[in-house]
Amino acid sequence: MRERRCPAEEYYVQREVLDEIRLDEVAEKETCSTEPSLTERVKESLRCSVPRVKQTVLNWVPVLGWLPHYSIRENAIGDLIAGCSVGIMHLPQGMAYALLASLRPVFGLYTSLYPVLVYFIFGTSRHISLGTFAVISIMIGSVTERLAPDSNFIVNGTNGTESVDIDERDARRVQIACTLTVLTGIFQFLLGVVRFGFVVTYLSEPLVRGYTTGSACHVSISQLKYVFGVKTARYAGPLSLIYIIGATIITHFCGLTSKYNIDVVGEIPSGLKAPRAPDVTLFSHVIGDAFAVAIVGYAINISLGKTFALKHGYKVDSNQELVALGLSNTIGGFFQCYSVTSSLSRSLIQESTGGKTQVAGVISSVIVLITVLKIGALFEDLPKAVLSTIVFVNLKGMYKQVLDVPMLWRTNKVDLLVWLVTFTSTILLNLDLGLAVSVAFSMLTFIFRTQLPRYSVLGHVPGTDLYLDTDSYKQAKEIPGIKIFRSSATIYYTNAEMYLEALQEKSGIELGKLLTAKKKKDAKLKRQQEKEKKKAKKLEKGQINGVRHLSNGTFTLEMPEGKVSAGVNGLSQGNGVALHGKETSTHHLSKGQVNWAYQQDTAMFDSDTECHNGIQNIYEDIEENEKACVSGTHSIILDMSTTSFVDTVAVKTLKNIFRDFGEIDMDIYLAGCQACVVEQLETADFFSKNIPKTRLFVTVHDAVLHILKQKGQSLPLDVSCSTKM
């Protein structure tokens, strides 16, 4: 292969036509795999050495890798300012978001303390701020109120009235929230250990943004009771948002509130509480919610982490982030914290105010710790309406995500549909069911996209080696006798049958009808040949229409009037009268008599001719039928460049294509297969005597040139040796 430089925007390449066998020779394909075997990999993973142990520890505890090299001169001031700013934000947000979780505000402060310190040790992002978050808080709140509703804590008052035992209810809700948090952390930690960080890729960006926007609506509605001082029973389950809204309207317009006492934060106990084990008996009741919280929390965390990592040029380990988040939740759950994730508003403050490392997170935790130990009492008279206002302000960014709708309408309507379905299901079916429906719908869109790809027939662009969709490009012209077919998606079991149907439709070849017609013609031809064989056998025996050969070179005809013998000199009747050929031929025919010897010979000749003509007509009918059906197509090239893998169904489909089209004398070729696909075809025993590797070409252009050379043809503009772009 050689290449020579040409003027700008042009290049010329001259090389031989390469099929797969020749490519292996030219490119010197490795005959054996360079990857280690499973046994070797297991041995390598179990091998212990000092550098290996050191690297493993640094991978699991990243702080040991960067903290010893921490530059006080470059990072200390920025981390100090960022830490103080984020710490101040933690105080109102922690208390406000605790209300979303149906917990007392002090537990929001705990949640802003312990998990942040754990993430400092195990996390890999330098800029995200871990702690309370509105969406996670409302998910926790839906569980705590479902398992510990007010109705379970009704007590009789001294004057016969009923009231709710607030202390017992809140204690139970804390226990539920902590148990849910521990189980969430266990899920995240285990997923990280088994390197399952890619699971978040199934939550597309439109899905996450639609889900958080729908969650913001739940958050807003839940805060209305604090803003307006209305106490309503919280409904959990499908259509819960509608029932909240309905109860609030009825309460307001019916004047059900007789007192307008302002609800405040209440007591914030000083000091830290001792760790407490979760109630494992609740695991079976919250396992589904825990998994949902684990996935949503991780999705939010990793998306923010990767955003800042890309901006500042470092890498975030998705699996280690799962481990860090899992440990933060698990350890935090023992210290009466609820589930955490990163917050966009706090993370932006931490990054914009100069934060460079997670030292800023430690400083923010110190501020929260001081608040809990010494100055918590100052917030006891803070109205809950103020905290609700803080929540509304922090939801501004989520509500701006509604602007995604017109953007997605212009760019991708399938993603728009995912966004709308996610948003609607989250509002109407609550957060857990809404997430499940959203993920299921998103997966369905992916399946439908692969099941319904775009199929196209490619044409050659003159003067180039390009082959483009003839429906999209006017200059792409089909090559006479050659159909080039391409699918926009991988061929596998869900779309293999549609691939074959689209191939027939696009190429104009009705394979089923052709095969049926060919079988009928073959059967008719076979019957005609059998008849001919039978007649030939009868001729050999000399017994056609009463003719019997005699040993003296004459033959007799059995007739009702008697025997007529014939020899070289003519005919004779049974009375011994000889009839010469010439006389009999002229005289008797004029009187309407028949020369049976001549007539019989002529009949046999006509029968042979008729049989031969019938067979010839059958062959001509087959050829004309096939030519009419395939419009002169003699070769089909399947462009496999978009195929990333093949399964057993795809391999079987390709084999059937080679077999069925081969039966109607059409050649099938493959082009553009990736190396991994070729290996999978070899493993599946795809190549054989009937499907040699010489039918597989490097590019479509190679296959076209090979076919044209076999047919003694060339492209309208001969580019077999050079290609001009």
Side-chain angles (χ1 to χ4, degrees):
M1 182 183 297
R2 64 184 181 181
E3 180 175 342
R4 60 189 177 91
R5 298 292 180 182
C6 302
E9 298 184 359
E10 292 185 356
Y11 75 84
Y12 294 84
V13 176
Q14 182 173 345
R15 64 170 175 82
E16 62 179 299
V17 174
L18 296 176
D19 58 21
E20 187 64 25
I21 296 178
R22 184 57 182 151
L23 174 66
D24 294 345
E25 296 173 356
V26 172
E28 299 181 359
K29 182 180 179 180
E30 294 286 348
T31 57
C32 57
S33 176
T34 57
E35 296 183 0
S37 63
L38 179 61
T39 305
E40 293 174 345
R41 283 182 289 183
V42 171
K43 289 181 179 179
E44 180 64 23
S45 63
L46 297 177
R47 185 175 290 115
C48 184
S49 63
V50 175
R52 187 179 183 84
V53 171
K54 181 180 178 181
Q55 186 61 40
T56 301
V57 172
L58 291 178
N59 289 338
W60 283 88
V61 190
V63 69
L64 299 179
W66 62 266
L67 188 60
H69 307 287
Y70 182 80
S71 175
I72 298 178
R73 182 175 182 179
E74 294 181 1
N75 302 328
I77 296 178
D79 285 341
L80 177 62
I81 297 174
C84 293
S85 302
V86 172
I88 294 172
M89 291 185 66
H90 266 304
L91 300 179
Q93 284 190 1
M95 291 187 290
Y97 291 157
L99 299 179
L100 297 178
S102 297
L103 303 175
R104 291 183 177 179
V106 67
F107 294 101
L109 297 179
Y110 297 154
T111 305
S112 302
L113 173 59
Y114 294 105
V116 177
L117 297 176
V118 177
Y119 186 82
F120 166 78
I121 299 173
F122 298 100
T124 59
S125 176
R126 304 174 189 174
H127 295 90
I128 64 172
S129 174
L130 206 70
T132 57
F133 186 64
V135 175
I136 300 298
S137 300
I138 198 68
M139 294 178 75
I140 298 294
S142 65
V143 179
T144 56
E145 294 205 359
R146 185 184 76 233
L147 298 181
D150 291 345
S151 58
N152 290 358
F153 304 94
I154 300 296
V155 294
N156 294 323
T158 56
N159 56 355
T161 59
E162 294 182 348
S163 61
V164 178
D165 190 339
I166 301 297
D167 294 335
E168 185 178 354
R169 181 202 65 182
D170 290 349
R172 182 58 176 171
R173 288 181 176 178
V174 169
Q175 189 178 37
I176 294 171
C178 294
T179 301
L180 174 61
T181 299
V182 171
L183 188 57
T184 298
I186 292 174
F187 278 138
Q188 292 172 331
F189 179 79
L190 292 178
L191 290 174
V193 169
V194 299
R195 323 304 290 172
F196 213 64
F198 68 88
V199 70
V200 74
T201 59
Y202 291 100
L203 301 180
S204 63
E205 183 179 357
L207 187 148
V208 173
R209 293 175 70 86
Y211 183 78
T212 53
T213 306
S215 301
C217 296
H218 280 276
V219 172
S220 300
I221 297 301
S222 67
Q223 294 303 292
L224 292 179
K225 60 183 179 181
Y226 298 114
V227 173
F228 298 107
V230 177
K231 295 182 179 180
T232 60
R234 188 167 181 175
Y235 181 84
L239 303 178
S240 59
L241 188 68
I242 307 301
Y243 288 111
I244 289 173
I245 294 176
T248 303
I249 293 175
I250 293 174
T251 302
H252 174 73
F253 286 101
C254 294
L256 301 181
T257 304
S258 57
K259 296 182 180 179
Y260 299 93
N261 295 329
I262 297 178
D263 200 1
V264 296
V265 169
E267 180 184 5
I268 298 180
S270 61
L272 302 175
K273 294 182 180 287
R276 182 179 176 183
D279 185 0
V280 295
T281 61
L282 291 172
F283 279 179
S284 60
H285 299 284
V286 299
I287 185 171
D289 302 285
F291 188 79
V293 173
I295 297 301
V296 173
Y298 173 66
I300 296 171
N301 191 78
I302 195 64
S303 61
L304 281 177
K306 287 187 175 182
T307 299
F308 288 114
L310 182 64
K311 180 178 180 180
H312 293 277
Y314 63 92
K315 184 179 180 181
V316 171
D317 188 338
S318 58
N319 293 306
Q320 182 59 29
E321 284 296 296
L322 260 177
V323 172
L325 199 59
L327 290 174
S328 298
N329 281 322
T330 302
I331 297 175
F334 283 92
F335 289 91
Q336 300 187 7
C337 304
Y338 65 89
S339 296
V340 296
T341 189
S342 55
S343 166
L344 176 60
S345 59
R346 292 195 307 268
S347 298
L348 288 174
I349 292 296
Q350 181 168 320
E351 186 258 351
S352 62
T353 54
K356 301 293 180 60
T357 67
Q358 282 299 325
V359 171
V362 175
I363 296 174
S364 68
S365 298
V366 171
I367 294 177
V368 175
L369 178 62
I370 294 174
T371 302
V372 172
L373 294 178
K374 298 297 182 182
I375 62 176
L378 298 178
F379 296 96
E380 291 181 354
D381 293 329
L382 180 66
K384 290 183 179 179
V386 175
L387 297 180
S388 298
T389 305
I390 295 173
V391 172
F392 278 116
V393 172
N394 287 308
L395 293 178
K396 179 180 65 174
M398 293 186 188
Y399 281 121
K400 283 185 177 180
Q401 293 175 158
V402 176
L403 298 177
D404 292 349
V405 173
M407 183 270 293
L408 292 175
W409 174 263
R410 295 190 303 269
T411 58
N412 194 314
K413 291 182 174 57
V414 176
D415 285 345
L416 172 63
L417 193 60
V418 172
W419 196 101
L420 293 176
V421 169
T422 303
F423 176 77
T424 305
S425 61
T426 301
I427 290 179
L428 298 181
L429 302 179
N430 215 350
L431 299 176
D432 48 358
L433 290 178
L435 179 63
V437 171
S438 303
V439 173
F441 182 80
S442 180
M443 295 299 295
L444 283 176
T445 61
F446 170 76
I447 293 173
F448 284 136
R449 287 183 186 185
T450 57
Q451 278 190 319
L452 301 173
R454 179 176 181 178
Y455 299 105
S456 54
V457 172
L458 306 184
H460 177 243
V461 179
T464 73
D465 60 351
L466 301 178
Y467 293 82
L468 305 177
D469 187 354
T470 55
D471 293 334
S472 302
Y473 297 89
K474 295 181 180 179
Q475 290 298 318
K477 306 296 183 183
E478 289 190 52
I479 302 173
I482 302 177
K483 290 288 185 181
I484 307 172
F485 181 73
R486 182 176 65 190
S487 169
S488 63
T490 293
I491 310 169
Y492 68 116
Y493 72 96
T494 64
N495 60 15
E497 183 177 352
M498 287 180 286
Y499 181 86
L500 178 57
E501 294 175 356
L503 172 60
Q504 298 179 68
E505 179 183 352
K506 287 288 186 178
S507 62
I509 302 172
E510 297 184 11
L511 186 59
K513 291 185 178 180
L514 285 176
L515 290 175
T516 302
K518 189 175 187 302
K519 289 179 181 178
K520 291 182 179 179
K521 298 288 185 181
D522 290 343
K524 185 176 180 181
L525 178 61
K526 186 177 180 180
R527 290 193 301 269
Q528 194 72 24
Q529 290 175 341
E530 289 176 353
K531 290 181 180 179
E532 175 63 19
K533 288 180 181 179
K534 290 180 181 179
K535 290 183 179 181
K537 289 180 180 179
K538 290 181 180 180
L539 284 174
E540 291 177 359
K541 294 180 179 179
Q543 294 180 350
I544 298 181
N545 294 331
V547 178
R548 182 166 61 189
H549 288 272
L550 302 178
S551 59
N552 58 1
T554 64
F555 60 88
T556 62
L557 297 177
E558 301 291 342
M559 302 179 64
E561 295 80 359
K563 295 182 179 179
V564 178
S565 300
V568 293
N569 294 323
L571 298 174
S572 63
Q573 293 182 344
N575 55 11
V577 179
L579 300 176
H580 293 280
K582 291 183 178 179
E583 295 176 356
T584 307
S585 176
T586 58
H587 178 70
H588 287 282
L589 288 177
S590 63
K591 296 182 179 181
Q593 298 179 354
V594 179
N595 185 335
W596 289 102
Y598 178 80
Q599 182 67 24
Q600 177 62 32
D601 206 9
T602 305
M604 288 187 291
F605 174 78
D606 292 342
S607 177
D608 293 341
T609 304
E610 180 182 354
C611 178
H612 176 74
N613 291 338
I615 296 174
Q616 184 67 25
N617 290 337
I618 291 175
Y619 281 116
E620 291 177 356
D621 289 343
I622 294 175
E623 293 177 358
E624 291 177 1
N625 192 8
E626 290 181 356
K627 288 181 180 179
C629 292
V630 304
S631 303
T633 300
H634 53 73
S635 302
I636 295 179
I637 302 174
L638 304 180
D639 185 358
M640 305 287 287
S641 58
T642 59
T643 300
S644 59
F645 71 92
V646 288
D647 58 7
T648 55
V649 177
V651 172
K652 185 177 180 181
T653 300
L654 292 175
K655 284 184 177 180
N656 292 340
I657 290 175
F658 273 85
R659 181 198 64 199
D660 295 340
F661 281 89
E663 290 184 4
I664 58 175
D665 299 326
M666 297 188 66
D667 297 326
I668 304 296
Y669 298 87
L670 303 181
C673 287
Q674 302 180 40
C676 61
V677 174
V678 177
E679 293 176 1
Q680 292 168 5
L681 292 174
E682 292 174 339
T683 304
D685 295 328
F686 175 76
F687 299 105
S688 62
K689 182 179 179 181
N690 296 326
I691 310 177
K693 262 194 172 182
T694 53
R695 292 292 185 95
L696 175 57
F697 287 86
V698 179
T699 66
V700 172
H701 196 53
D702 288 273
V704 170
L705 295 178
H706 170 78
I707 295 170
L708 294 179
K709 183 179 179 181
Q710 282 191 326
K711 302 296 181 181
Q713 303 173 1
S714 63
L715 291 173
L717 177 59
D718 188 5
V719 292
S720 59
C721 296
S722 63
T723 299
K724 181 178 180 181
M725 297 287 294

